[in-house]
Amino acid sequence: MDRRRFGSFSNVPVIGQGTWNLERDDRRSAVAALGRGLDLGMTHVDTAEMYGSGEAEEIVAEAIAGRRDEVFLVSKVLPGNAGKSGTLAACAKSLKRLKTDRLDCYLLHWRESHPLAGTFAAMEQLQKEGKIRAWGVSNFDVADLEEALAIAGPGRIACNQVLYHLQQRGIEHAVLPWCERNGLAVVGYTPFGRGTFPPATPAGRVLADIAAAHGATPRQVALRFLVRRPSLFAIPKASRPEHTADNAGAGALSLSEAELDRIDKAFPRGAPPRSLPML
Ligand SMILES: NC(=O)c1ccc[n+]([C@@H]2O[C@H](COP(=O)([O-])OP(=O)(O)OC[C@H]3O[C@@H](n4cnc5c(N)ncnc54)[C@H](OP(=O)(O)O)[C@@H]3O)[C@@H](O)[C@H]2O)c1
């Protein structure tokens, strides 16, 4: 599993594990899938207080029991719970559900009406208290990022977690370059998109061809493309151990420039979006 710099961390796996809707799946399988992912180096585990209204965090707690030190654990505060006191309270509840004393990174899930300054003040306080090791944002467009940087100052915001898959490459126009210029890790969510994967199109066949040439799967090829730059991470969600194992295979796959170029042409990034695409 390749690992790379993520904010002030030097060693975060390029492929992690998502947990949205995990509570809808068979619990034993979900716990086993997360555990298999840890075994295979996918130690970046992404969750949120929103997922299953806390149930996903409880499933994560079960999966990481006895293995906390291996995990790069990320959770998120809902915008409705943000602000100074709301963020402090939400973090305490997440830590309790996750049965841990610290998060490695804590994110504002998306931006709503709470002014950023209060939420960021809470993040800084949590970090000073050792309850979080770093903090970041999610679903932030360039204007939000500019405002966030002006409030937080340089080097404080570890990452921006955003929608990114082969059929939605909107972040590549402005958000990704901005994050790269300012040293934020870019964590791509929903890496397999919302439709059928691989798409039953000529573009889907390009993925299948490249996968066959490597003895890999189209999902592994897609994930590898999505982490092809040094700022990028992907967090596929899987509730079945065999899916987790498949996704982990992307962590050591190496694609040539010519192969990356074929994928780039098969799934063009399109025109700049009017606003940041999000789910
Ligand atoms: N910050 C945000 O606003 C935000 C928004 C959305 C998502 N996220 C995060 O990003 C994570 C990933 O996004 P996502 O859950 O929307 O979608 P995703 O990871 O692109 O896709 C998940 C789906 O793909 C299936 N799958 C995964 N690996 C597979 C494999 N190797 N073979 C076949 N099927 C496979 C899963 O099936 P099984 O479960 O049956 O294995 C599940 O149905 C989320 O779980 C969450 O942690 C963040």
Side-chain angles (χ1 to χ4, degrees):
M1 173 61 64
D2 280 355
R3 292 172 171 263
R4 59 175 56 143
R5 182 167 174 260
F6 182 117
S8 59
F9 304 94
S10 56
N11 215 15
V12 175
V14 294
I15 311 294
Q17 306 192 72
T19 62
W20 187 30
N21 291 329
L22 203 60
E23 76 288 349
R24 296 186 188 171
D25 301 308
D26 176 77
R27 186 166 179 130
R28 197 183 302 178
S29 175
V31 169
L34 286 169
R36 181 108 171 85
L38 297 184
D39 295 342
L40 295 168
M42 292 198 292
T43 51
H44 172 177
V45 177
D46 178 82
T47 190
E49 64 171 347
M50 185 190 104
Y51 301 163
S53 301
E55 215 182 315
E57 290 181 323
E58 289 166 3
I59 295 169
V60 170
E62 197 175 329
I64 68 172
R67 307 183 70 172
R68 174 66 187 89
D69 291 347
E70 293 172 46
V71 182
F72 183 79
L73 184 58
V74 179
S75 193
K76 313 183 194 80
V77 57
L78 272 169
N81 291 340
K84 176 95 190 267
S85 59
T87 302
L88 297 176
C91 184
K93 288 183 194 158
S94 283
L95 290 174
K96 195 167 179 204
R97 281 190 293 265
L98 286 160
K99 295 195 167 71
T100 184
D101 59 355
R102 70 202 184 276
L103 296 171
D104 295 288
C105 199
Y106 195 36
L107 312 184
L108 173 59
H109 208 147
W110 66 92
R111 189 179 180 179
E112 265 177 15
S113 55
H114 280 290
L116 294 179
T119 307
F120 291 0
M123 295 290 192
E124 291 287 328
Q125 183 177 325
L126 288 165
Q127 193 171 359
K128 279 198 191 86
E129 292 171 354
K131 291 177 182 158
I132 64 176
R133 293 176 69 207
W135 60 272
V137 296
S138 176
N139 297 302
F140 268 41
D141 210 337
V142 168
D144 304 314
L145 290 164
E146 291 284 6
E147 188 182 333
L149 180 66
I151 294 168
R156 303 306 308 153
I157 308 169
C159 68
N160 187 18
Q161 188 180 118
V162 286
L163 179 65
Y164 188 43
H165 57 82
L166 288 175
Q167 289 158 307
Q168 182 45 267
R169 296 176 56 191
I171 60 158
E172 292 181 28
H173 292 280
V175 170
L176 177 62
W178 191 98
C179 291
E180 289 181 343
R181 279 198 305 278
N182 290 282
L184 275 70
V186 177
V187 181
Y189 69 70
T190 313
F192 300 133
R194 300 315 286 174
T196 313
F197 189 96
T201 59
R205 281 198 290 283
V206 168
L207 287 186
D209 280 358
I210 294 173
H214 287 269
T217 66
R219 282 176 201 270
Q220 291 171 344
V221 171
L223 288 172
R224 194 70 225 182
F225 180 85
L226 295 173
V227 298
R228 71 198 179 285
R229 298 175 66 91
S231 56
L232 287 167
F233 298 80
I235 45 167
K237 171 259 179 186
S239 64
R240 300 176 196 209
E242 63 272 25
H243 289 170
T244 312
D246 182 17
N247 299 339
L253 186 65
S254 176
L255 299 178
S256 67
E257 284 303 319
E259 288 168 330
L260 291 172
D261 199 47
R262 272 186 80 193
I263 300 168
D264 177 60
K265 290 194 167 68
F267 295 91
R269 68 179 184 167
R274 286 205 187 129
S275 59
L276 183 75
M278 53 186 282
L279 280 185

